[in-house]
Every structure is written in C-alpha cells, then in structure tokens.
Amino acid sequence: MTVPRDYREPARSRSDLVIGRDEPVAAARAQLARGGSVLLHGPAGIGKSTVLRALAAEYGEASRTVLRCSATESESHLPFLALADLLGLVLDEVCAGLPAAQRTALESALTGRGESTLQRDGLALRLAVLSALRALAAEGPVLVVADDLQWLDPASAELLGFAARRLGDTPVRMLFAARTEDQEYDRHLRASPPDTLALRLGPLTRTQVAALLDHRGYTGLPRSTVRDVHRTSGGNPLFALELGRTLAENPTPPRPGEPLPVPTSLRALVLDRLQMLSPDARHTLLVASAGARPTLATLRAAGRADAEADTARATELGLLATESEGPAVRFAHPLISAALYAEAPAQERRAAHTALSTAASDPIERARHLALATTGTDPEVAAALAEAAALARDRGAPSMAASLGRLSARHAPAERGPHALLLQAAEDAITAGELDLARDIAREVLSGSTVPAERVRAWIVVVETAGHAMAEVDAVFPQALADAGDDPRLLALIHYQLGWRALLVDGDFDRAREEAAYCAELAARGGDRYTELMALSFQAQTETLMGHPDAPSTIRRALTEPQDPRVSCHHNGAGYARFRWQVMSDQLAEARATVTGLLREVRRRGSVESEVHFLRGLAETELRTGHCARALDLARESLRLARDTGIGEVASAVLASFAEAAGGEVDRALALAREALDHAERDGDQMYVSRALAALGHAQLVAGDAPAAVASLRRVRELEAGLGITDPARGRWHGDLAEALVVVGATEEAQDVIDTARARALRLGRESVLAVLDRAEALVRAARGERDPAAAQLTSAQDRLAKLGYGLEEARAAFALAALRSPRPGPTAYDEAARLFRRCRALPWLRQVAAAATAPPAEPVPARAAALDALDSLASMERQVAALVMEGATNREIAGRLFISVKTVEATLTRVYRKLGIRSRVDIVRLAAGRPGN
C-alpha cells in the first residue's frame, strides 16, 4: 500500500502523545541517552512520525542544535534538498570556519547558486558536511531529525551517510524514521552511524486502539465497534483514526454483519491497484470481500468461474496475501477488503450476498448473506436468522448470535415480536462481553415495547451491563418493579439484582442473603428453575463469605436436580459456589479440578464474562498452592481480557496485584492495587474496596513498607467488620496485618488481630488460616524475647502449611524461622527458605532472602541503646521527618506537610540513618517502638 506524502491528519487531531509504544520508546530513549542514533521503521500510518516527534521534543531540549528535514516523494528527485533543509539555517554559522573549497562546494549545493554535483565536487562536499557537523558539535550536542527517510534525495543521503560513518565520538545523534514493508530497512542505515539502533513499529493491540480513539475524542463508540475498527485497521493507528472519525461523524451505523464504512481518504490509499484489474476480476474480489472466509470453491459456486485466475492476478498486485494460510482467500490487509466493499454500489453488494447465500455451505453464513441481500421485513428471512443465531449460540459463538439476532429483528414483522429477538441478542451480547451493545439494544426495546415481560428483561440487561457500578442504575429498580406488577417470575429477576446491589453497593451481606432467598422463593412459585438455581447459588456464595453455618446445605440445594445447564457453568452458578467453598476449606486439588472444568466449558460456549471469572479463580488456586509463575500468567490473561471487555476489571486487577507481589514485580503489584482501589471507590463497590486494600497492604508488606501496610490493612479490618464478613479465609489478610504490626512495634494489637481471627477460624475449621496465624504469633513471641517457643511455633506452622499444599506460605514460615534462629545467621541459614521460594518461583521473596543473607550482622545491644538515645539528639528538621515516618507517612506526604521538596526529605532521612546507625525507615519505627514505656 502506498500513502501519498501530502496526505495528513487534520491539524486539530494531531498529537505527540505516544500510545502503545512503551517498549520501542524505552529502547530508543536508552540508545539516545547513550549518545547513539535510532532508526524507526514500519509500514505507512503505523505511527513513526508520532514517535519521532515525541523523541525529538524530549531530546531536542538537551541539544544545543537540532537539525530537521522531512522529505517528500514529489521532491525526492531534487539533489541536496534534504541537506538544505538540515543545514540551511546554520549555513552562515558553519561556513566561516570551513576551508575555501569546502565552503564553496557547500554553499553552491545548498543555495543552488552554481552547479555543484557529487561527481564534480564529491570529496569537497563530503568533507564539508562532516566538518559542518563537527563544528556545530564543538559548541554543544547536535540532534539530526529526518522523517520519511525513504524519500531522501540520493545526494543528501550519500553525504549524510559519509559524515555519519566518520563522526565517531562527536556528540551528534541521529533520529530517523523510514517507511518499510516487512523487515527491509537495511538500505536506510546507509545514511546513519554504524551503531544505529533499528526499531520496527508494529500494529497496536485492541486495547491500545481503544485508548487512541478515546484520546482523539471518539469516545462514543461501543466496544464491539472498537473491536471491528481494530480488526479492519489491522492495528494501524492512522487507519484506525480515520475509521473512528468516519463512524463518529456518521449518524447511521453499519448494519449488523456488514463491514465498517471506509472513508474516501483511506479507499484511495489501498485501492489504487484495483484499476489494474479487469471488471470481472474486480467483481470476484467484491464477492470475496462480502464473505467471511471465502475459498476458491465458494467463489466458483457463487458464479465466479474464473476465480482462480482472478485471485492470482490480485495476488500479483499485492491485493491478496501471497502466502495464504489454508484454502481461504485472504486479503493482504483487512482494510483492502473493507474499502473494496465500501466502494461498491449497494445493488452490487446485495448481488454478491445473494450469490453467496446459495454458495455458502455453513447455515449461519447462508443466513447472514440472505439477510444482507434482503431489504425490508421478511418473515422467512427472520426465521432463518433466528435459527442461525440459536446454532451460533450452541457453537459457543455468542457474538455472532447477537449479530444474527439483531438482523432477525430487523427483518421480523411487528406482529412477530422483534423485541423478543432483540432481547435474546442483548443477552447474547452480554455473554460475549459486548456490554455497550447489549445496553443499546435494551434501550431500543424500552423505547418501543409495552409488554411487561419484555420491559423487565430489558431493565435487567441495563442493570447487568452496569457491572459492579450498580449505584449508577438505582433509578432502574422502581421502574422495573412497576413493570413487573405481581408476576412472581418477573419479580424474581428484579430481587436477584437487588441482592447483588445490597452486596456490592451497601456491603450488606444479611440483606443480600435475604434478597437471594426471597428471589429463590419467587422463582420457584413462578416455575422459573433457572432463576431459582441462580438465586440459591448466590445465597450460598453470600453465606460462604459470611461464614454462615447454612452455606454447605444451601450449596447442596443449589446442586439438586433438576439442573439447568446454563447455571452449571455460570460464574454466579452453583459450580463456582462450590469452587469458592473448596478454596476456603483448603481443598486445593479439588478446587483446581472444579475451576479447570468450568473454564473449559465456558470457553467452549464463548462466555467471556464467565471466562474472566474462572481465569481469576484458577490463578487464585495456583497462587495458594505456590505456583507463582503459573498464577501470574493466568492473572495477567484475566486482566487483559477484563480490560478488553470492561468486565471484572477491579477484581482482575486485585488478583493480578497479589500475583505480581508473589511472582512478578512489587512496583507493578502496588500500581495495580491502587488502580483497583480507585476504581472500586469510584464505583461505590464496598466489597472490592476491601479487597483492593488487602492487595495494597500485602504489596506494601512485600515491598518492606510495614507502616503503610498497617495503615491499609487496618482499613480492611474496619471495613469487613462493618460489612459483616467473619470468615478469615475470605481475604486472608489477618496474618499480613499482624506481621506488619510486629514490624512497627505494635505487638499488643497484633496479638488482638490474631486472637480474633483464630476464634473464627477454629469455628469454621480453616486450617491454613490457623497455620498462618500461628506463624504471625511466633513473630509476636520473638519480638517479646520468647525465641524458643517462637521457633517451635514456626516449625509447626511450616509443617502444617506444607501438608495442606500452601507452598508460598510454607516458604514464608521457613524464611521467618531462618531469621529467628540466630542473630548472625549467615547465608547458609537461608538455604531452606531460598529453596522453597525458588520452587514457587516467588521472585520478590527470593530477592528478600538474598538481601537478608548478605545483610551485615545485627547491632550489639549497647549500640542499639545508643541509637535510641540519639533520637533526642537529632536536629529539629530531622526529628520532624523521623516523627512523620513513625506515623507511616510517605516521603511525598512528608514533603507536603513540611513544605519542603521530596529530595530534601530523602537527604534528611539519609542523615538520620547515619546518625542512628540504621539502614531504613522501618528501623526508625522499630527504634521508637523499643523505647521504655511505649
């Protein structure tokens, strides 16, 4: 594909914000920071100029001189033009110091006065350019920026390359961008220094395309449409923006199943070669563009007798892929197919679909083509589409089912109930994770239907698409109840959602349990077994979190026959309730088997929302068993899917934070926990505010910031007491809080946390929780000087955790035991802990073990006492900073409260550490906690 150089984005939409280029930008920055040069390359529209501008702006500030040029195809035949752009403004500055022959040759080349040529003045010109760059660099660093290097005139490229190869250590950096196809970029390196780093920019992901569209103001596009933009653009930023602009400006969206409308600006970019095809060959390609996965056999069956010759010619012109994967006819870029379809008149498109409706072998594909070939209502077409939607649903393709359902409703006469077809399409869209589409369909039904059952189903779709932000749809419930009247089936649907609202928005577990039980009663009365089973499953999950004694019996009720297959693998169904009970009851092998089976089934069915949940559940199970790398991979996969669909983002971020703290990067764990906390607080989701704080506190503890961990986990304790959560196996934060409290010297509070949680764990039989609490209590004892009982308790806790299969918790007990056994343990004392953490692939913990094993011996008691006395000898500012550290304030918070800079805080703390003979802010807290009377 070729892009004319005079094609530009509208000036109002240009931006140097770089989206989705973290890795190449980081590599370019590192290269430029070392004084090296960079060549950015990739296909047209991929964003090279955007990255080039951003890097040039960043490194141009540190350069005394910035030389720029941007070549064009129409001017590439003019010799020395690029060189004139680069050196024209500094010609007077550099020419004065050049030898006469070089000065004359350079002036002649750059000004056009005279007839300087490479053949006649080659050596003088080459040396002049080299001397000019050296002269500029003698005054300060030079940055040479050249965009569209492929259009650089040959003379300028030759001169620039000659100089670049001879600059050596001269402080001249070059930043170039060139359009390339595939990986052919070597020829552009001839104008660059020998050590130039070549970076290829590839396509953006769907998430990055969504972020790009949002940044440019195209925020009203549904997720399903963004998905189509990403597919059609192939991840090319320029193509995606043009498609997004057209969609945002076009009030009429494409019909379901049709390609996206392609603006004229992009059609010209990809269809210039179409003129070289015969009319028959162009029509063959149009039929191919209308199909889902057309083959030569399909095209021949659709009446294209010369399909093989037509596609061979299109392949020669680069319109079709040269190496087709399988029998399908594949376009070289998705945009070619979409542009070809958009360019064709409506009558020709319908003719193509008519031909394919008889040629396609798959019933779903036949029905789709039949619909796109038909205008107006047609009962037979509507019925065929409804059957195809049901088949797609059974095949695990809910997104296709939703599209076919919408088409069916479009062709159904008013008396055949199009609203019922639309509601089924909305529910299929929810299954596929296309929440925006589902919400739009529901609103369409509400605006046109007066049937109570249809209206209540539509209200339920609106509620379900709100996710955890249920407070935003409070106004829906009174309207839904009014539409339901006294119909128990309809009332059951509403009270099920009211139960979730009580749990997520109010944090009221008792009310949630009551609503679930009432919903089950109403559904049974109305003969709705599906809703009854869902309500019982919800009641069981709520009782499990509450530590309610009825939870096992409610799970059994939810699993009694007759069952509904839709409930068995639903993320709020009885199968998942059983999984949660198994995890909390230390049945880890059984939990893994349960959730693995559930995940396999929902993937077969195409249920994206349930897949997000079950990926998270499997990651949690792997984390408990100490398979940290596997847990991290699963958690990241769940988070990616959640962000792509907008489903369960907070919960997935929380789990990913725990996984990062166990097997990834602690900084990443902290960032994810804070992100989840912000979202949960914004959504008013009290349950996940608590979960996010627990993840944050855990990450802070792993990071070595015990005061911050205490602050976060104290909030968790207060929140869960208010929510009525009594089962310590729900969040498992109690051991972390007790351990952090020991570090900051609050041993009495730590013991209180342990005693309270232990009483509940004993009542519920939570063996792993009891073992973790014993580990924490051993640390309390050690802090009180009871070293032998503490060691015995740690040994017992480690053995019990090993037998239960909690590999990471076992390793943490071994780590604590190694630190306790001797004040001078030495590296070998940590061998067992290191072995266990290595088995778990718990990288953050391995780093802690390595630091502990190489740490200097603990201070003698007299020296520690002297350090305590030294607290009073600190200067005024030092005492203020130390006091705020004892309160748990971060460096940024201290700077704000004392009206000083963060660097001043850091320098002050360094002096405090030196005067007190300690190494970290945690040691300040320990010293303060060790004062008599504290």
Side-chain angles (χ1 to χ4, degrees):
M1 288 174 287
T2 60
V3 178
R5 188 65 194 102
D6 56 0
Y7 177 81
R8 300 285 189 183
E9 299 174 51
R12 58 179 171 79
S13 68
R14 293 183 199 165
S15 170
D16 287 339
L17 177 70
V18 178
I19 292 175
R21 303 301 187 192
D22 292 348
E23 290 187 13
V25 167
R29 282 174 173 156
Q31 174 77 352
L32 292 168
R34 289 192 295 267
S37 297
V38 173
L39 169 66
L40 305 167
H41 68 99
I46 205 67
K48 304 178 296 296
S49 296
T50 298
V51 176
L52 183 85
R53 285 195 299 268
L55 290 169
E58 183 176 343
Y59 287 91
E61 293 180 0
S63 303
R64 177 187 178 274
T65 306
V66 179
L67 308 177
R68 300 176 187 270
C69 75
S70 183
T72 65
E73 183 177 14
S74 61
E75 299 170 341
S76 60
H77 66 286
L78 300 174
F80 308 123
L81 186 61
L83 195 66
D85 288 342
L86 288 172
L87 296 178
L89 295 179
V90 296
L91 184 61
D92 292 340
E93 180 181 346
V94 299
C95 275
L98 296 180
Q102 295 181 22
R103 181 171 65 251
T104 301
L106 186 59
E107 287 178 339
S108 177
L110 299 190
T111 63
R113 295 191 297 270
E115 297 181 0
S116 180
T117 66
L118 276 179
Q119 288 73 23
R120 193 182 70 184
D121 304 313
L123 182 58
L125 269 175
R126 288 175 172 84
L127 293 174
V129 173
L130 176 61
S131 299
L133 290 175
R134 283 175 173 166
L136 291 170
E139 301 298 323
V142 175
L143 178 65
V144 180
V145 182
D147 199 1
D148 282 317
L149 202 64
Q150 75 277 1
W151 303 133
L152 212 66
D153 63 273
S156 296
E158 167 63 24
L159 293 172
L160 199 57
F162 176 88
R165 291 189 293 274
R166 289 162 176 80
L167 285 170
D169 295 333
T170 306
V172 176
R173 293 175 291 187
M174 296 187 177
L175 179 57
F176 297 157
R179 183 191 306 172
T180 58
E181 298 296 338
D182 301 321
Q183 296 292 330
E184 297 176 2
Y185 62 88
D186 291 355
R187 63 189 181 90
H188 299 301
L189 291 174
R190 286 178 293 191
S192 310
D195 63 345
T196 297
L197 174 66
L199 294 170
R200 180 172 177 80
L201 300 187
L204 300 181
T205 66
R206 185 167 67 179
T207 302
Q208 291 162 352
V209 165
L212 180 65
L213 293 171
D214 284 346
H215 172 67
R216 295 300 177 90
Y218 309 135
T219 56
L221 301 177
R223 287 178 184 271
S224 56
T225 302
V226 172
R227 178 198 62 199
D228 292 341
V229 168
H230 175 257
R231 183 180 63 243
T232 304
S233 68
N236 185 294
L238 172 64
F239 298 167
L241 286 170
E242 282 298 292
L243 290 168
R245 178 182 59 79
T246 301
L247 287 164
E249 293 174 355
N250 189 350
T252 304
R255 296 172 67 192
E258 281 190 337
L260 294 178
V262 179
T264 305
S265 58
L266 289 187
R267 293 183 205 176
L269 303 184
V270 297
L271 297 181
D272 56 341
R273 282 162 287 181
L274 197 64
Q275 304 305 318
M276 302 175 69
L277 290 174
S278 68
D280 281 347
R282 287 202 297 271
H283 193 73
T284 297
L285 290 195
L286 172 62
V287 175
S289 72
R293 285 183 60 81
T295 64
L296 288 174
T298 304
L299 293 175
R300 284 193 293 267
R304 310 313 302 162
D306 296 326
E308 194 163 0
D310 292 343
T311 55
R313 176 59 177 150
T315 301
E316 290 175 7
L317 295 172
L319 292 164
L320 296 179
T322 54
E323 297 179 3
S324 180
E325 298 176 3
V329 174
R330 189 165 58 87
F331 284 88
H333 192 283
L335 189 65
I336 298 175
S337 174
L340 182 62
Y341 187 91
E343 188 80 3
Q347 185 177 353
E348 290 186 17
R349 288 187 238 167
R350 285 197 297 271
H353 287 297
T354 298
L356 287 168
S357 69
T358 59
S361 59
D362 184 79
I364 293 177
E365 187 69 1
R366 282 201 306 272
R368 184 179 77 88
H369 288 302
L370 183 62
L372 294 174
T374 306
T375 58
T377 59
D378 188 319
E380 293 184 4
V381 171
L385 286 163
E387 291 176 7
L391 181 58
R393 201 174 302 119
D394 291 341
R395 288 182 180 178
S399 181
M400 175 60 74
S403 178
L404 292 167
R406 292 171 69 204
L407 281 171
S408 178
R410 282 175 180 263
H411 291 286
E415 64 272 12
R416 296 292 184 91
H419 292 130
L421 295 169
L422 283 173
L423 284 167
Q424 181 61 65
E427 289 161 3
D428 287 331
I430 290 176
T431 301
E434 299 177 9
L435 303 186
D436 294 342
L437 175 60
R439 190 182 304 113
D440 290 343
I441 297 173
R443 287 170 177 159
E444 182 179 345
V445 172
L446 288 167
S447 67
S449 176
T450 58
V451 179
E454 292 177 349
R455 291 185 62 78
V456 170
R457 281 179 67 190
W459 288 125
I460 296 303
V461 169
V462 173
V463 172
E464 288 188 346
T465 56
H468 283 207
M470 295 187 75
E472 296 178 3
V473 292
D474 273 349
V476 164
F477 291 105
Q479 299 177 74
L481 288 168
D483 283 329
D486 57 1
D487 187 328
R489 291 175 65 95
L490 300 181
L491 288 170
L493 297 175
I494 301 166
H495 282 280
Y496 179 78
Q497 299 297 338
L498 284 169
W500 279 104
R501 188 202 177 284
L503 182 66
L504 297 175
V505 178
D506 298 332
D508 190 336
F509 278 72
D510 288 325
R511 176 69 183 280
R513 179 174 177 269
E514 291 169 5
E515 290 283 4
Y518 184 45
C519 171
E521 178 189 329
L522 287 167
R525 198 190 315 160
D528 183 353
R529 182 61 174 164
Y530 171 81
T531 303
E532 181 186 5
L533 291 172
M534 290 295 292
L536 288 170
S537 301
F538 177 37
Q539 182 182 343
Q541 288 193 56
T542 306
E543 289 172 347
T544 298
L545 292 172
M546 296 171 69
H548 198 286
D550 289 350
S553 63
T554 306
I555 292 176
R556 285 193 294 272
R557 286 178 62 200
L559 291 170
T560 56
E561 296 295 338
Q563 282 291 308
D564 186 310
R566 294 173 296 169
V567 179
S568 62
C569 62
H570 194 282
H571 56 276
N572 288 323
Y576 198 63
R578 177 170 56 185
F579 161 73
R580 288 251 55 91
W581 178 261
Q582 289 167 337
V583 168
M584 295 173 73
S585 301
D586 301 324
Q587 301 172 37
L588 296 182
E590 296 87 345
R592 182 190 284 113
T594 296
V595 77
T596 300
L598 290 170
L599 181 59
R600 186 184 306 116
E601 179 62 17
V602 298
R603 280 177 166 165
R604 186 186 71 79
R605 291 172 177 260
S607 178
V608 176
E609 184 172 9
S610 292
E611 183 180 356
V612 171
H613 279 73
F614 297 154
L615 275 171
R616 203 162 57 235
L618 184 56
E620 180 184 351
T621 308
E622 298 293 356
L623 197 57
R624 297 265 177 264
T625 53
H627 300 148
C628 297
R630 171 70 173 151
L632 186 58
D633 288 343
L634 289 164
R636 287 173 174 172
E637 183 180 355
S638 173
L639 184 59
R640 279 195 300 270
L641 189 56
R643 285 176 169 166
D644 278 350
T645 60
I647 295 173
E649 292 180 78
V650 174
S652 294
V654 165
L655 198 281
S657 174
F658 279 113
E660 291 284 355
E665 296 294 332
V666 179
D667 288 345
R668 177 73 175 148
L670 290 165
L672 284 168
R674 292 186 177 111
E675 173 191 323
L677 180 59
D678 289 344
H679 278 285
E681 289 178 335
R682 190 162 58 248
D683 291 345
D685 185 343
Q686 294 302 306
M687 188 165 70
Y688 269 96
V689 168
S690 165
R691 295 292 294 126
L693 281 167
L696 180 59
H698 177 75
Q700 288 164 334
L701 181 63
V702 177
D705 194 350
V710 167
S712 297
L713 296 173
R714 277 174 175 162
R715 283 188 63 193
V716 177
R717 191 183 190 194
E718 293 168 3
L719 278 170
E720 294 205 353
L723 293 171
I725 300 173
T726 59
D727 191 337
R730 184 258 180 179
R732 298 177 183 265
W733 48 265
H734 311 76
D736 284 345
L737 175 55
E739 182 176 333
L741 287 166
V742 169
V743 173
V744 302
T747 54
E748 295 301 323
E749 185 182 349
Q751 189 64 55
D752 179 63
V753 170
I754 293 166
D755 293 342
T756 302
R758 179 180 283 142
R760 293 169 177 171
L762 283 168
R763 176 175 63 82
L764 296 168
R766 305 300 194 220
E767 291 299 326
S768 63
V769 174
L770 290 168
V772 168
L773 292 173
D774 278 357
R775 185 186 69 204
E777 189 173 53
L779 299 178
V780 174
R781 288 185 166 185
R784 292 171 175 168
E786 303 170 21
R787 300 182 63 83
D788 291 340
Q793 195 168 17
L794 279 172
T795 302
S796 171
Q798 181 181 343
D799 291 345
R800 287 150 56 204
L801 288 166
K803 289 176 183 177
L804 290 168
Y806 284 78
L808 185 58
E809 300 295 353
E810 174 196 357
R812 288 180 63 178
F815 187 21
L817 187 60
L820 176 69
R821 277 180 170 152
S822 169
R824 296 174 181 271
T828 57
Y830 289 95
D831 283 353
E832 174 69 0
R835 182 185 68 80
L836 293 174
F837 282 129
R838 198 174 296 114
R839 183 183 67 184
C840 295
R841 296 188 66 181
L843 302 182
W845 290 100
L846 275 169
R847 286 190 281 268
Q848 287 197 34
V849 170
T854 57
E859 293 179 1
V861 174
R864 186 71 72 182
L868 284 171
D869 292 338
L871 277 171
D872 294 327
S873 65
L874 296 175
S876 174
M877 178 61 74
E878 294 166 352
R879 281 200 306 274
Q880 291 181 68
V881 170
L884 289 172
V885 168
M886 294 172 200
E887 293 178 14
T890 65
N891 286 3
R892 189 170 297 279
E893 289 168 343
I894 294 170
R897 289 169 68 174
L898 297 181
F899 302 101
I900 58 178
S901 70
V902 174
K903 287 190 175 181
T904 301
V905 174
E906 294 169 350
T908 304
L909 279 173
T910 300
R911 292 196 302 273
V912 170
Y913 299 156
R914 185 173 62 250
K915 289 182 179 181
L916 299 183
I918 58 179
R919 295 189 303 274
S920 71
R921 56 193 296 128
V922 173
D923 289 334
I924 296 177
V925 179
R926 286 174 172 160
L927 286 175
R931 283 182 177 277
N934 277 18

